[in-house]
Amino acid sequence: MTPTPPARAGLAAQASRFRILIAVMLFVTVVINYLDRSNLSIAMPAIARELDLTTAQQGLLLSAFGWTYAALQIPGGWLVDRVPPRVLYPVCLILWSAATFFMGVVGGFVALIVLRLLVGVFEAPAYPINSKVATVWFPERERATAIGFYTSGQFIGLALLTPVLSWLQAVLSWHWVFIATGLVGILWAVVWYAWYREPRASKANDAEVELIRSGGGLVDLEREQPERARITRSDVATVLGRRKLWGIYIGQFCLTSTLWFFLTWFPTYLVDYRGMDYIQSGFLASLPFIAALIGVLTSGVVSDFLLRRGVPLGAARKGPIIVGLLLSTVMVAAGFTDSTALVIVVLSVAFFGNGLASITWSLVSALAPQRLLGLTGGMFNFIGNLSSIATPIVIGLIVTDESFTPGFAYMTVITVAGILSYVFLVGKVERVAERSV
């Protein structure tokens, strides 16, 4: 290891640690973000009974978030480049939380769809904001750890708080699932605005700001916004015209399909097809999320370990992804057993695999043309999030009142398609060339 220069060592010793608070704030925001994505799945069995919804109608309602969320990924990124996080994040939080709150007040099917569409609209900028804050507040050598920490919030929050929301629904009603999560989001928006600042305007001392800046953190990003070049037709042709890029686009769609199954249909499956009450289903629904959390935390460690051992970049990155997808195919077995315990084990293994495969963004940076990293990432996220539309609708159309087996079969076929995409379309991991003008 290279010794730490005396100047840098002294700087680190006297630097404050305000950026730790920033990481915690991002973590809490991600927890709220994912609770507001998944709360509908917790309440869906009760909503379906009260409103007498068919499985097709349930699938449409569960997919509503994805229509606007996916469509606004690229516009949301554009907005993030122009509005500071201190302002944009609390505004988005208040708006999506207000829409969530009113889902607990209104009772009509159409009104619920409209409000769910609005949640998707206002959550669209959230992850681009997270990425921007991490780039501003953390030096390169800490950034991956910070991103991993706040990303884990999506699974930790769901694992720990799903039983709480299920209990709240059992004690009061499904309306309070939305009222409670909406109020929490509005309160957190106030906290974010009160505490978040850019590094130079925060309580971080000069030594911490310099430590971040010298380590590659863009502490002056808001004051030094570069002029952005116009996106050309040639740029779009490049990101849409390369086999390797379509390999990761399709692979991401297949990977996130499993995530959206757990965020939408899984609690309904436990209640309506396994005959559990809300409190039982809330507890058991948390177990696959814990497994996914372990998979997420394992994936980066394993991939970096392989790299340090001299394994080529392609194998080190694609290996955990393909192994994770292979593990996810065991989901099909859930349709062929009457044992609830075995079903939970099978689905936990499948979701662990989904977490293990979660390092797909590393392939974006490895394959995308360097000048088009942002555009490629936006397309990758857009196509990947189309699964938030397709998965709830398709499962709602193919399952019957008696059997959920067709839903598990669909998820397995999609996962196999993802494996084939990474093996045959992505192939060797190398940066693609831009399309010549």
Side-chain angles (χ1 to χ4, degrees), residues 146-208:
I147 292 172
F149 171 67
Y150 74 66
T151 301
S152 70
Q154 68 190 49
F155 296 117
I156 293 175
L158 293 172
L160 297 180
L161 296 179
T162 293
V164 175
L165 294 180
S166 298
W167 171 83
L168 188 65
Q169 176 176 256
V171 172
L172 298 175
S173 71
W174 65 263
H175 299 272
W176 282 92
V177 173
F178 301 104
I179 292 172
T181 50
L183 288 175
V184 168
I186 292 170
L187 291 173
W188 184 248
V190 176
V191 174
W192 179 276
Y193 185 79
W195 280 92
Y196 182 80
R197 299 289 190 278
E198 300 302 315
R200 294 195 187 279
S202 72
K203 294 183 179 179
N205 63 16
D206 292 341
E208 182 177 11

Side-chain angles (χ1 to χ4, degrees), residues 38-64 103 109 112-113 116 169 174 177-178 263-269 271-272 278 392:
S38 65
N39 52 14
L40 179 60
S41 67
I42 296 169
M44 181 55 75
I47 293 174
R49 289 191 182 92
E50 184 174 311
L51 301 182
D52 194 24
L53 303 181
T54 66
T55 55
Q57 288 175 312
Q58 292 176 57
L60 182 61
L61 179 53
L62 288 167
S63 76
M103 286 184 70
F109 177 65
L112 288 173
I113 287 181
R116 194 65 175 171
Q169 176 176 256
W174 65 263
V177 173
F178 301 104
L263 290 178
T264 55
W265 276 105
F266 183 44
T268 296
Y269 165 72
V271 172
D272 289 350
Y278 294 124

Side-chain angles (χ1 to χ4, degrees), residues 67-209:
W67 288 96
T68 48
Y69 182 78
L72 293 175
Q73 281 302 300
I74 295 176
W78 178 88
L79 190 63
V80 169
D81 282 338
R82 286 155 179 80
V83 182
R86 188 189 177 213
V87 175
L88 183 59
Y89 226 159
V91 168
C92 290
L93 266 163
I94 288 172
L95 291 174
W96 94 55
S97 298
T100 298
F101 175 89
F102 282 109
M103 286 184 70
V105 176
V106 303
F109 177 65
V110 173
L112 288 173
I113 287 181
V114 170
L115 289 168
R116 194 65 175 171
L117 289 168
L118 290 176
V119 175
V121 168
F122 299 123
E123 280 201 18
Y127 261 73
I129 295 174
N130 295 342
S131 179
K132 183 176 184 179
V133 171
T135 303
V136 167
W137 264 99
F138 294 92
E140 288 283 0
R141 66 181 182 277
E142 296 178 2
R143 196 171 300 153
T145 300
I147 292 172
F149 171 67
Y150 74 66
T151 301
S152 70
Q154 68 190 49
F155 296 117
I156 293 175
L158 293 172
L160 297 180
L161 296 179
T162 293
V164 175
L165 294 180
S166 298
W167 171 83
L168 188 65
Q169 176 176 256
V171 172
L172 298 175
S173 71
W174 65 263
H175 299 272
W176 282 92
V177 173
F178 301 104
I179 292 172
T181 50
L183 288 175
V184 168
I186 292 170
L187 291 173
W188 184 248
V190 176
V191 174
W192 179 276
Y193 185 79
W195 280 92
Y196 182 80
R197 299 289 190 278
E198 300 302 315
R200 294 195 187 279
S202 72
K203 294 183 179 179
N205 63 16
D206 292 341
E208 182 177 11
V209 173

